[in-house]
Amino acid sequence: MSDAATSTPPMDVFIKGLWRDNPVFRMLLGMCPVLAVSNSVMNAFAMGAATLFVLTMSSTLVALLKNFIPKQVRIATYIIIIATFVTVVDYVIQAISLDLYMALGAFIQLIVVNCMILGRAEAFASKNSVPRAILDALGMGLGFAFALFLLGAVREVLGNGSFLGFDLFGPSFEPWSVMILPPGGFFVLGFWLLIFAYMKERSEARQQEREEAPHGG
Amino acid sequence: MADDSLWFIFLNACIINNFVLTTFLGICPFLGVSGKYETATRMSMAVMFVMLVSSTCAYFINQILVAFDVEYLRLICYIAVIASTVQLVEMFMKKFSPALFRALGIFLPLITTNCAILGLALFQTFREYSFLQSVVFALGAGAGFGLALVLMAGLRERLELHDVPSIARGAALTLILAGILSLAFMGFAGIGG
């Protein structure tokens, strides 16, 4: 398996996290922050950036230290590494914008238990070289941020009638406020998954048709 | 009703601000383990126990950290405590109830990355609960997690027998179900003002 992993071209390592193995839409990892802080585009963007930073830094460190970490305590070591970077991010966000810090609440500190980060450390960074681990982390982190953005955009536009704080529809718009409340998070993510499943099914059906056509004709 | 009475804290953590359905904590096990009623109940038992132990430990650790003025170590200490509690529960179960240990399988170590547990420890610190309040808060949160998980498992077991469109099978349907459950739980929002 490690042979197969090292033979994929670097570009593929980067691209796969963005779409084909998207952590949110395909692997359903790290759901808690995705649902909780995607009620506006700004929050989603900040959360995506924070997660991207923690993921990249911890993957780099894990890949660097992979020969020194004993097998038995590896999970505990990864968690401590992740917790260190999360503490850094927590203090940085608090220093940059207190409003943002209040809006994200405990979810910045909860990046520690985002299963996607631990999952990438265990499944990829601990088996690959540093540059590949960085590429993988960047791809996965961007894919995560992209998914957060998709959710945040839909929820803010429908639930608040605005995008990044700018009013879109004017004063006569009646906001669909359930969308920024907790149930909206579940619904919007559910509908995105439905759309992706539909697209996948259609492209598979089309491919099947293409394969069958020469034989049939 | 006073905001810090014990009964209100319990009710608040369990139903009004249900950890899973309104605060979005512990979504991963909620989506992953809610397929069968049997495993859902066992999982919630284990989570309840870990919550109780780690909340107690977190309270005392926070006292020590505040005393030494090193709050920036809080996150690292909490996660270390949770990881070791889970390890303890795992060893305990292996010794005294091997059947339950096998039934829970991979889910037991995964409790470490359950955000409901770290979230619980962080929330009780932010809200500056006393020791007794923390314990009640942990009990309420555990009960709320169990309630949501068991409700979801019941719904999903019944859905197995129904004919759903192929694109909705799996995660999408589960999420929409969770949304409807969450809507129902919003109805409790007024209790206690």
Side-chain angles (χ1 to χ4, degrees), chain A residues 28 190 193, chain B residues 31 168-176:
Chain A
L28 295 177
L193 287 178
Chain B
L31 297 178
R169 217 164 282 153
L173 188 67
T174 313
L175 277 163
I176 289 170

Side-chain angles (χ1 to χ4, degrees), chain A residues 7-54:
Chain A
S7 62
T8 38
M11 215 42 213
D12 236 36
V13 174
F14 178 66
I15 295 286
K16 77 176 187 314
L18 284 178
W19 184 250
R20 195 158 28 100
D21 286 337
N22 187 294
V24 176
F25 293 131
R26 281 290 143 79
M27 303 200 287
L28 295 177
L29 288 176
M31 285 297 166
C32 312
V34 170
L35 291 167
V37 298
S38 62
N39 49 7
S40 78
V41 179
M42 194 58 216
N43 288 356
F45 180 71
M47 190 63 186
T51 311
L52 176 65
F53 171 77
V54 174

Side-chain angles (χ1 to χ4, degrees), chain B residues 1-137:
Chain B
M1 213 183 306
D3 259 8
D4 50 355
S5 75
L6 293 181
W7 173 238
F8 183 73
I9 289 177
F10 181 82
L11 208 63
N12 190 23
C14 179
I15 292 180
I16 305 171
N17 281 317
N18 184 290
F19 258 50
V20 179
L21 294 169
T22 52
T23 350
F24 296 120
L25 294 169
I27 298 287
C28 302
F30 178 65
L31 297 178
V33 200
S34 62
K36 280 208 183 69
Y37 184 75
E38 195 78 19
T39 37
T41 32
R42 285 180 179 150
M43 178 70 179
S44 25
M45 294 290 200
V47 167
M48 258 183 246
F49 179 74
V50 176
M51 271 185 173
L52 203 58
V53 176
S54 55
S55 142
T56 315
C57 297
Y59 177 77
F60 289 112
I61 286 178
N62 192 41
Q63 296 296 313
I64 298 172
L65 291 182
V66 170
F68 284 98
D69 213 14
V70 281
E71 282 104 337
Y72 56 86
L73 288 178
R74 191 185 284 146
L75 197 57
I76 297 177
C77 289
Y78 280 4
I79 196 76
V81 166
I82 292 169
S84 40
T85 314
V86 171
Q87 199 82 56
L88 195 77
V89 172
E90 208 178 332
M91 289 192 302
F92 186 80
M93 268 192 186
K94 207 174 188 176
K95 181 104 174 105
F96 291 101
S97 168
L100 186 58
F101 178 76
R102 273 197 302 275
L104 279 177
I106 180 74
F107 302 127
L108 209 51
L110 278 183
I111 297 178
T112 314
T113 52
N114 183 339
C115 30
I117 293 171
L118 184 65
L120 176 89
L122 290 173
F123 279 145
Q124 78 179 34
T125 316
F126 290 154
R127 296 179 192 168
E128 296 176 345
Y129 281 158
S130 70
F131 178 62
L132 200 60
Q133 284 173 326
S134 306
V135 172
V136 172
F137 186 49

Side-chain angles (χ1 to χ4, degrees), chain A residues 1-9 13 124 127-128 132:
Chain A
M1 194 199 139
S2 62
D3 279 341
T6 42
S7 62
T8 38
V13 174
F124 198 91
K127 297 190 184 96
N128 286 280
R132 294 176 64 85

Side-chain angles (χ1 to χ4, degrees), chain A residues 77-109:
Chain A
T77 319
Y78 300 158
I79 289 242
I80 299 287
I81 291 175
I82 296 167
T84 314
F85 288 114
V86 172
T87 311
V88 173
V89 168
D90 186 53
Y91 278 78
V92 167
I93 292 185
Q94 206 171 349
I96 294 176
S97 160
L98 206 56
D99 288 339
L100 195 60
Y101 185 73
M102 293 297 176
L104 294 178
F107 280 95
I108 305 172
Q109 305 202 357

